[in-house]
């Protein structure tokens, strides 16, 4: 773990910095007082009357079986929780006023995030203009094209005709017109400089630039977004440096589908292409066609593929051509370009509707009135004004919101605003919170709500004069008037039962059945907890965590432990009546770690001994959660349960499950039942947990089917996390489990939370995706919400929007901090609105679209056959692209595939979603694996879904050893692998090192400490620690990748041509998959066919 002690920037406000628990402790060895020898079972004295004190030892039980639960057929599915009801409810985050004084926690604490630091890479800066080329079209002719030897007539040079954007238009990032490509050669400053003219903090609403649609194309009927190839004038360079990928070996290119002919690009070539950089410039500019061959002139055909034109003509009897994978849009190229174009200057949020840099770009954010993209990312930053337009385009309007996201240390965390006993100022009608978009009028005595237009009085204590521009003179001194994100201290009116909350509690609930003991899990866990308990989340520089802890062990019965500090030894109380769970002790169950340290240590020493000889293989599950929840209820606090569980709960108890796994259901209409919970018990239980603010994190250690779909219901609905370690063995899985556990226990988490997303008139939030519960149609209830959890919100029109006022979002999260402080975190974001479809397509973000579409599809399989869900995705994607083609692209042959620049990766990424294990499982993928992946994706942010669906493949031996930067990635395809090199692949959950069969012996020796390729152990999970530059570099890279991800990635070494290589190849997502998933090239042809059908 990384320790970051750097202080945040000095806050410009007279407010304290927000109180963040920093992870200052970097290791937890040497914990004192843990050396007590394990006591015998007899130490657990003091039975409570009425409770059976059952020593597990000597209990006569059947010999341990393998633990296999009885098999049975699938049970009738239960309905999903009540999501998806739309409408405006009345429930708010809290009342609008208050009379109770607020307490404030002392001081602030420097922000640090050593667990998942973004600090491993240098701070990036970005260009305030946004990438120059975001709207050039991607063109290609994939199918049905006629090929001729003649130069194609260039489309109207409309890109040129647009000329440089006027004044601030480009600042919005909203119309990097294709003309810009030609206009701003690399390294040359864009002609417009006013984009930066927002040094001060201004409400974006006022400082918003003119809408992109306001400038005029040269010819009225001309295309607004002409194809790249048509718009590039001779002699003009490209916006970004050409990128080459020298790292791949060519392998036989894929053949086109029948009836498809390879065609070249249309239009005059950009002359800066050089023969040394085959092919890539095309992608660079969003166009694709044949990549190989003479570049300086597209007119010069590469062998066998003459320049194509859009002129209709009889098909020529050419042999089937191959589509060069280099000629289709490359994710690597797009990522590289964005890094180069936008990674060098901060992203300043003062301008409405700016598309932020990609999630794969490192950049700093300056909050000047809109929430940072680390908190909110949108599928589009320019929303169609009417629902008709939105329906026509089919582009989902969604925001991916991560309310408690960790920020890099260089960025200021949200300031905490304390309005004292009056509480936060809100609109009387819609209850929106004070924000930079509110309009003060009548000399400052009133303000007009930017969401509902209601005129509100300004309370006397909040009154301030306005300056000559109508701004309050104190706007710069108040976060809520100048920033996109900030927090309010909540008054008692925002608290349950009008009482300030108690600090939360953590309860550790440990399965001690035969399997848990046998694998060494219980011993490992207890040993770890002894030190880990010193690292519970803290706040405000507090000496110790305010969180109390409790312990339960269980198999068929539950064992509660009294660890009161005054006891000499812990006491155990057994509850065997699991049908009617209750908590047998209140005093001494939840304790302060420091006060009870000796007793807790003694308990953790004894637990593995007590159950060492257990024969019990059966477990219960629902009663365990019930018990934890009841304990929190009794203590009148929120909290989190950490449940460590090994098997299908088949013991007689509520929530008992049977093995209903049935692979025969795959690809049938009943496949959905595999993902539905097999009983409603867990939904009911989850609801009770949410009401109590009881979040459940589940660690699973299954040897076989455990019905993840059912067991995950409670974690899913309570905002918890699930971790799965199949066939857990201490030797192999210890590092991964302990790393995950440490992060999970220490991470910042809010409790008992309610999130509400308000919007300005015209759109509203209609659907929500993530780990939470909803009892009405508007309030997202989260028993717990940690820094990694993301909620995706979809919006629909309910009225007409207008270009002038744009559209506003306000996300308000009411939560209890880990010190027990009630707070409101507010994020505001202003978007542009457009009357031209082209503006929509210029301001989309494909990574966010994919995040939404994956979540939409993964939820859809609960109710529809998987094939239907896949077809729906394909159709929607085709409609999006067809609408663009029809309304925004320059007229051209139907044989030409034209993609909007911002969406040129939509096909490749969507294909990755379609062929993912959840939607297209291979034979080796279990039902539990699928249910698990489904749950994980539900809460992922955009960066996580991006790398999860399109893994990162890094060559390890290409770049010089001295190079300190991360090697440039290559495309996820087998043909990019050279058998003389070693590669690293990661997708956020898995990490592979692939070794080519012809790697030099010296390299093998340096990395694996063996003499030859054949001696490398396949499946190795640790690289030997060797004292040479290559070994250090590779291990350092692995460490850095692991630090970037929210879960520990287990390493697997895979050798070329080895059996295990199949597993690895599954992640080469541009290729055909073993399960029948299409290659990128095939899918692109498929998509093109769909689009043509829609257009004809
Ligand atoms: Zn309002």
């Amino acid at each position: 773990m990384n320790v970051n002690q750097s202080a945040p920037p000095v806050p410009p406000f007279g407010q304290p910095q927000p109180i963040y628990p920093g992870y200052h402790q970097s290791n937890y060895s040497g914990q004192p007082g843990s050396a007590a020898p394990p006591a015998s079972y007899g130490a657990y004295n003091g039975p409570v009357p009425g409770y059976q004190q059952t020593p597990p030892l000597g209990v006569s039980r059947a010999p341990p079986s393998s633990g296999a639960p009885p098999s049975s057929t699938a049970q009738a599915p239960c309905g999903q929780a009540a999501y998806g009801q739309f409408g405006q409810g009345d429930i708010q985050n809290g009342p609008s006023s208050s009379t109770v004084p607020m307490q404030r926690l002392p001081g602030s604490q420097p922000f640090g995030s050593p667990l998942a630091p973004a600090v491993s890479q240098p701070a990036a800066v970005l260009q305030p203009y946004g990438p120059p080329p975001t709207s050039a079209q991607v063109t290609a002719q994939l199918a049905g094209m006629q090929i001729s030897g003649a130069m194609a007539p260039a489309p109207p040079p409309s890109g040129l005709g647009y000329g440089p954007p006027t004044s601030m238009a480009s600042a919005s990032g909203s119309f990097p017109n294709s003309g810009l490509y030609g206009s701003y050669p690399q390294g040359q400053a864009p002609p417009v400089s006013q984009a930066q003219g927002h040094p001060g903090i201004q409400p974006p609403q006022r400082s918003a630039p003119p809408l992109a649609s306001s400038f005029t194309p040269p010819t009225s009927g001309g295309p607004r977004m002409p194809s790249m190839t048509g718009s590039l004038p001779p002699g003009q360079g490209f916006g970004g440096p050409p990128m080459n990928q020298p790292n791949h070996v060519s392998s036989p290119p894929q053949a086109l589908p029948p009836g498809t002919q390879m065609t070249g690009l249309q239009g005059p070539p950009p002359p800066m292409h050089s023969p040394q950089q085959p092919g890539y410039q095309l992608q660079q500019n969003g166009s694709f066609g044949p990549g190989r061959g003479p570049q300086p002139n597209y007119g010069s055909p590469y062998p066998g593929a003459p320049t194509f034109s859009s002129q209709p003509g009889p098909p020529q009897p050419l042999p089937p051509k191959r589509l060069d994978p280099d000629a289709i849009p490359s994710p690597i190229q797009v990522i590289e370009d964005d890094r180069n174009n936008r990674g060098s200057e901060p992203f300043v949020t003062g301008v409405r509707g700016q598309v932020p840099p990609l999630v794969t770009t490192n950049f700093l954010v300056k909050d000047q009135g809109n929430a940072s993209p680390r908190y909110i990312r949108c599928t589009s930053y320019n929303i169609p004004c009417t629902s008709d337009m939105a329906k026509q385009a089919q582009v989902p309007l969604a925001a991916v919101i991560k309310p408690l996201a960790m920020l890099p240390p260089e960025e200021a965390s949200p300031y905490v605003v304390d309005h004292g006993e009056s509480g936060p100022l809100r609109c009387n009608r819609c209850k929106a919170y004070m924000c930079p978009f509110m309009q003060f009028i009548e000399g400052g005595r009133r303000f007009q709500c930017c969401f509902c237009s209601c005129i509100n009085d300004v309370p006397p204590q909040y009154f301030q004069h306005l300056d000559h521009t109508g701004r309050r003179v104190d706007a710069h001194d108040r976060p809520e008037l100048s920033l996109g994100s900030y927090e309010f201290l909540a008054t008692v009116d925002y608290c349950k039962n009008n009482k300030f909350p108690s600090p939360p509690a953590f309860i550790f609930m440990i399965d001690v059945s035969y399997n848990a003991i046998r694998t060494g899990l219980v011993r490992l866990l207890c040993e770890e907890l002894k030190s880990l308990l010193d690292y519970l989340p803290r706040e405000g520089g507090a000496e110790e965590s305010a969180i109390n802890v409790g312990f339960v062990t269980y198999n068929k019965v539950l064992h509660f432990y009294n660890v009161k500090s005054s006891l000499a030894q812990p006491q155990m109380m057994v509850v065997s009546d699991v049908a009617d769970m209750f908590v047998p002790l209140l005093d001494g169950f939840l304790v302060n770690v420091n006060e009870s340290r000796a007793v807790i240590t003694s308990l953790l020493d004894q637990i593995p001994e007590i159950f060492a000889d257990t024969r019990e293989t059966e477990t219960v599950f629902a009663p365990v959660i019930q018990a934890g929840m009841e304990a929190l209820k009794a203590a009148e606090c929120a909290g989190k349960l950490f449940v460590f569980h090994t098997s299908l709960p088949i013991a007689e108890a509520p929530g008992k499950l049977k093995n209903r796994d049935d692979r025969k259901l795959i690809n049938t209409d009943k496949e959905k039942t595999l993902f539905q919970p097999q009983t409603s018990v867990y939904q009911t239980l989850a609801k009770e947990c949410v009401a109590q603010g009881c979040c459940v994190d589940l660690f699973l250690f299954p040897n076989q089917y455990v019905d993840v779909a059912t067991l995950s219901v409670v974690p899913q609905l309570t905002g918890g996390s699930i971790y799965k370690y199949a066939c857990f063995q201490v030797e192999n899985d210890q590092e991964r489990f302990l790393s995950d556990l440490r992060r999970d226990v220490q991470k910042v988490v809010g409790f008992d939370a309610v999130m509400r997303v308000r919007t300005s008139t015209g759109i509203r939030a209609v659907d929500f995706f993530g780990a939470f519960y909803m009892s009405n149609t508007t309030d997202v209830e989260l028993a717990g919400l940690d820094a990694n959890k993301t909620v995706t919100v979809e919006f629909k029109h309910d009225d007409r929007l207008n270009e002038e006022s744009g559209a506003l979002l306000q996300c308000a999260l009411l939560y209890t901090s880990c010190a027990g402080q009630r707070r409101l975190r507010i994020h505001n974001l202003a978007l542009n609105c457009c009357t031209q479809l082209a503006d929509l397509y210029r301001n989309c973000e494909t990574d966010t679209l994919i995040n939404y579409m994956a979540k939409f599809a993964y939820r859809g399989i609960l109710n529809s056959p998987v094939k239907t869900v896949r077809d729906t995705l394909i159709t929607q994607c085709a409609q999006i692209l067809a609408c663009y083609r029809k309304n925004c692209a320059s007229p051209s042959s139907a044989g030409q595939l034209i993609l909007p620049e911002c969406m040129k990766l939509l096909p490749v990424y969507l294909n990755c979603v379609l062929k993912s294990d959840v939607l297209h499982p291979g034979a080796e993928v279990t039902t539990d694996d699928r249910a698990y992946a489904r749950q994980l994706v539900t809460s992922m942010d955009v960066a996580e879904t991006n790398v999860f669906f399109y893994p990162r493949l890094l060559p390890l031996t290409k770049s010089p050893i001295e190079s300190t930067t991360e090697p440039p990635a290559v495309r996820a395809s087998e043909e990019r692998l050279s058998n003389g090199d070693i590669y690293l692949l990661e997708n956020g959950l898995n990490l592979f090192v692939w070794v080519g069969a012809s790697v030099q012996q010296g390299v093998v020796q340096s990395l694996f400490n063996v003499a030859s390729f054949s001696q490398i152990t396949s499946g190795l999970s640790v690289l030997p620690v060797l004292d040479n530059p290559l070994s250090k570099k590779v291990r350092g890279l692995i460490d850095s990748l692991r630090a970037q991800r929210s879960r520990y990635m287990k390493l697997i070494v895979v050798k070329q041509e080895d059996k295990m290589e199949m597993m690895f190849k599954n992640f080469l997502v541009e290729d055909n998959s073993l399960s029948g998933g299409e290659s990128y090239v095939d899918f692109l042809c498929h998509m093109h066919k769909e689009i043509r059908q829609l257009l004809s």
Side-chain angles (χ1 to χ4, degrees), residues 586 590 626-638 688 691-692 694:
L586 297 178
L590 293 176
Q626 179 93 33
M629 186 262 296
E630 297 287 350
L632 295 178
K633 197 186 277 180
E636 297 183 330
C637 66
E688 290 180 62
Q692 184 53 45
C694 169

Side-chain angles (χ1 to χ4, degrees), residues 602-747:
S602 170
L603 170 68
L604 293 169
D605 280 334
Q606 291 175 58
I607 285 175
E609 307 303 327
I610 298 168
F611 301 100
D613 299 318
T614 185
R615 292 288 181 270
E616 184 55 70
T617 59
E618 294 189 358
T619 56
V620 295
F621 187 68
V624 179
I625 295 172
Q626 179 93 33
M629 186 262 296
E630 297 287 350
L632 295 178
K633 197 186 277 180
E636 297 183 330
C637 66
K640 184 140 77 161
L641 312 183
F642 298 81
V643 183
F644 305 89
H645 190 79
T646 60
S647 59
L648 195 71
I650 54 170
E652 202 53 55
K656 171 184 173 176
L657 301 179
K658 45 191 176 180
N659 186 337
R660 45 86 183 241
D661 188 17
D662 184 358
R663 296 189 66 85
K664 288 197 292 294
L665 297 183
I666 294 172
N667 290 326
T668 71
D669 283 357
K670 286 189 175 167
E671 185 171 0
K672 61 189 174 196
T673 61
L674 295 174
F675 302 105
Q676 294 165 340
Q678 61 169 293
T679 158
S680 62
V681 166
Y682 291 97
Q683 271 127 323
T684 310
L685 185 56
K687 214 168 146 183
E688 290 180 62
C689 286
V690 171
Q692 184 53 45
C694 169
C695 172
V696 178
D697 280 359
L698 176 58
F699 293 79
L700 285 170
F701 307 86
N703 286 333
Q704 54 205 324
Y705 181 72
V706 288
D707 199 346
V708 171
T710 306
L711 295 188
S712 64
V713 166
V714 178
Q716 164 78 14
L717 294 179
T718 60
S721 303
I722 308 166
Y723 300 85
K724 183 157 93 57
Y725 309 90
C727 302
F728 179 84
Q729 285 183 306
V730 167
E731 318 78 78
N732 298 334
D733 303 303
Q734 160 172 350
E735 197 181 352
R736 180 161 68 112
F737 164 57
L738 292 183
S739 172
D740 286 342
L741 176 65
R742 286 166 191 161
R743 292 188 198 198
D744 197 68
V745 166
Q746 297 179 77
K747 69 188 172 189

Side-chain angles (χ1 to χ4, degrees), residues 427 429-432 449-454 456:
C427 169
R429 187 198 287 161
C430 73
K431 305 296 179 192
C449 176
C450 52
F451 295 93
C452 73
S453 301
C454 174
N456 296 272

Side-chain angles (χ1 to χ4, degrees), residues 792-859:
T792 294
V793 184
E794 188 185 4
F795 302 96
K796 287 253 157 72
H797 287 77
D798 59 6
D799 203 348
R800 203 189 148 82
L801 295 164
N802 83 65
E803 289 175 288
E804 210 166 299
S805 52
L808 305 177
L809 312 179
Q810 183 177 79
C811 166
L813 178 82
L814 174 64
Y815 71 101
T816 301
S817 75
C818 58
Q821 195 177 49
R822 201 72 173 149
R823 294 200 196 138
L824 281 148
R825 179 171 288 202
I826 313 293
H827 298 297
N828 302 290
L829 185 63
L831 302 171
N832 284 332
C833 296
C834 59
T835 53
Q836 300 294 325
L837 281 166
D839 292 326
L840 165 68
Y841 284 99
R842 276 191 200 111
N843 292 281
C844 284
E845 213 208 10
T846 297
D847 294 334
T848 309
L849 268 174
I850 289 293
N851 180 284
Y852 166 84
M853 291 172 105
K855 289 173 181 176
F856 178 81
Y858 280 20
R859 188 175 71 188

